[in-house]
Amino acid sequence: MIYQACIACGEKYGADEIVYSCKRCGDLLEVKYDYDLLEAKLKKSDWQSLPLSVWRYKDFMPIRDPSKIVSLNEGGTGLHSCQRLVNILGVKHLYVKNEGENPTGSFKDRGMTVGITKAVELNMKTVICASTGNTSASLAAYAAKAKLQCIVLIPSGKIAYGKLAQAMIYGAKVVQIRGNFDHALKMVLELSEKHREVYLLNSINPYRLEGQKSLAYEICDQLNREPPDRVVLPVGNAGNISAIWKGFTEFHKLGLIDKLPKMTGIQAEGAAPIARAIKNGKDKIVPINKPETIATAIRIGAPISWKKAIRAIRESGGTAETVTDEEILEAQKMLARSEGLFVEPASASSIAGLKKLFEAGKIDKDETVVCVTTGHGLKDPDIAIKISEKPSEVDAEIGSIEKLLGLSRSIPATVVSR
Ligand code: F0G
């Protein structure tokens, strides 16, 4: 038995009702299950023998007809043990869950495989989202696979080029809004209410978050059901931290793990309404009118899922931190050079936040920490090029190259021995 319920007043809605917020009090919705039924179902299921992926957990997903699943093989991303980063930072155990390994290069694919499958179940023909880039790339890909029409609203100007290229090549109708993400989100909320035939797949749609909760399941399974002490991740519109927390609490409820990690959200200093609320002990956020950060993915001033995120952080005993653009870029380079993981700036904020919290003594040195890196570095090549050493140009001539590289002109050993 699956239904939707309001997180504030508990009002219930049917699983197939197209509703994006509570009609009674206006608050956010979440997908609910009968966990006794689910437990019984799991006992008869072969899920534990399936390979790691979002759909290994199909019994935990709000999908009725597996034949309708729209998949590009999402999830099953690496949980990288980062020993060199451990040596640099001083934490005891550090893993990076690298979501850039998903089909369109970000964690959004976990949500979209479920969201688009739901759209197909509901017989919708058009899907829409507002996006700082990754959601639009992912939605466009899954809509193409499902032969649905796709509309994406993005902020004009500040969107990373890789993401724009993705949305365009997958054939979405790309609309640039003169404004920021918060304006674009407001527009799609209104459009989807007014035109009921257009299905909204921002994270206010609780079905998308159901897919994203698989990230928590995977971390548990990759660590042999011994969850980490802490999960650190970037927070923008705040859907992902809420989804991951839901995943951990569900595994806990079902007796699959016996402890829960502390959820730790990192925001960019110029776009940090949630981190500020947490730091100031407030229950509500104060939206930021003109959010600003180099990490364009999380350049969001009025996160829609702020209430779920604050709940996740408080219930788990976690915390939140802000990081500067300089700290983000330094972390991006450090992760690439010490572990071979190239992530986009927003993703690197998790590493920057961990460093800052650890140095401030807010994270215990004995903790096992998982940092989630949410998107691939090639999404935003301009930034990587800007912060790296420029290539040197020389003539196609051995001497010039040797000179540039500081290589001596010795006779090769093979020639000497003859
Ligand atoms: N990291 C990346 C790379 C993202 O693209 C986003 C969000 C986040 C972190 C934050 O996740 O919103 O669930 O808190 N990107 C959205 C988008 C807003 O439109 O692509 P969140």
Side-chain angles (χ1 to χ4, degrees), residues 116-133:
I116 286 285
T117 300
K118 190 69 200 172
V120 171
E121 276 193 0
L122 293 169
N123 211 17
M124 303 305 288
K125 299 288 177 241
T126 306
V127 290
I128 194 168
C129 74
S131 180
T132 56

Side-chain angles (χ1 to χ4, degrees), residues 357-401:
L357 287 165
F358 188 71
E359 283 169 2
K362 292 180 187 159
I363 289 184
D364 196 272
K365 66 173 179 356
D366 289 327
E367 287 188 22
T368 297
V369 178
V370 172
C371 280
V372 183
T373 53
T374 42
H376 200 287
L378 284 175
K379 294 271 192 177
D380 199 347
D382 296 353
I383 300 278
I385 289 171
K386 206 186 274 175
I387 65 170
S388 303
E389 194 188 321
K390 304 288 167 287
S392 315
E393 196 178 314
V394 289
D395 292 332
E397 194 262 315
I398 293 294
S400 311
I401 302 170

